Amino acid sequence: MKYFIKQKVFSFNNQFSVKDETGQAVYQVEGKMLSLGNKLHVYNMDNEEVLYIEQKLLKFLPEYDLVKNGEQVATVKKAFRFFKNDYSILGPDWDVEGSIMAHDYVIKQRGTVIADINKEWLSWGDTYAIDIRDESQTELLLGIVIVIDCVFSAQRNNGAS
């Protein structure tokens, strides 16, 4: 199943939709910038929270916990590397490979691609597509992609690499 997110629409003070291949909104993401870290809520179209994302505080590099049904299911950490945007995903046995900056990367589980993220050139603006091959992990995979995009965008806006 393919999902689409419009690039550069997100800040922690607003909301956006994740759309399916037909252009229908299937998830709503809401963010708020608080004094005690960033928090994101991902809702399905029945307004049920399917994922909660919270920034860990007092970390040298960005780190976020992903919580589903009240249970922490993953942590996304930005790794320090010169000229590379590396991330580690703790919890599930997943790896991120490719170019985060070009929105051209994959998420793998034990060497098998479970999500493919690519920039799409659509007439209504820069969008990236998330092709999820393991539907049982849809919300978690979308959450990880959203966190990576938020961290990358924030660093780009701050002039960091």
Side-chain angles (χ1 to χ4, degrees):
M1 181 71 167
K2 240 183 199 182
Y3 298 92
F4 297 91
I5 298 175
K6 193 164 185 167
Q7 187 178 355
K8 299 178 187 171
V9 298
F10 185 76
S11 74
F12 282 104
N13 289 320
N14 67 15
Q15 60 185 4
F16 66 93
S17 296
V18 177
K19 298 182 178 186
D20 67 11
E21 292 176 288
T22 67
Q24 296 294 315
V26 289
Y27 295 99
Q28 185 72 23
V29 181
E30 297 181 8
K32 296 192 190 258
M33 183 179 265
L34 302 173
S35 59
L36 296 176
N38 300 321
K39 297 172 184 5
L40 299 168
H41 300 271
V42 181
Y43 299 98
N44 64 22
M45 296 319 290
D46 292 327
N47 207 30
E48 300 166 331
E49 185 177 82
V50 295
L51 193 65
Y52 172 69
I53 303 166
E54 183 172 3
Q55 181 182 16
K56 286 186 162 185
L57 300 175
L58 305 174
K59 299 292 180 179
F60 177 67
L61 294 170
E63 189 172 327
Y64 289 80
D65 286 333
L66 288 80
V67 177
K68 189 170 183 163
N69 299 323
E71 181 181 332
Q72 182 179 333
V73 292
T75 298
V76 178
K77 291 179 159 189
K78 169 82 170 86
F80 181 74
R81 305 235 197 290
F82 288 107
F83 308 112
K84 281 185 94 174
N85 275 304
D86 285 347
Y87 293 82
S88 60
I89 303 169
L90 308 174
D93 184 20
W94 296 351
D95 297 304
V96 178
E97 294 179 10
S99 174
I100 302 295
M101 295 188 317
H103 289 295
D104 185 22
Y105 62 97
V106 296
I107 299 174
K108 292 183 175 183
Q109 181 174 25
R110 292 186 290 280
T112 301
V113 174
I114 58 172
D116 194 349
I117 297 82
N118 292 290
K119 189 165 188 163
E120 297 280 320
W121 300 98
L122 301 174
S123 59
W124 49 278
D126 289 345
T127 300
Y128 59 95
I130 303 112
D131 186 4
I132 295 179
R133 299 177 187 177
D134 181 355
E135 288 292 315
S136 69
Q137 300 290 342
T138 296
E139 288 91 8
L140 183 56
L141 286 163
L142 287 173
I144 289 168
V145 171
I146 290 166
V147 166
I148 290 171
D149 186 54
C150 291
V151 171
F152 174 70
S153 294
Q155 288 180 331
R156 184 181 57 232
N157 291 339
N158 290 333
S161 59

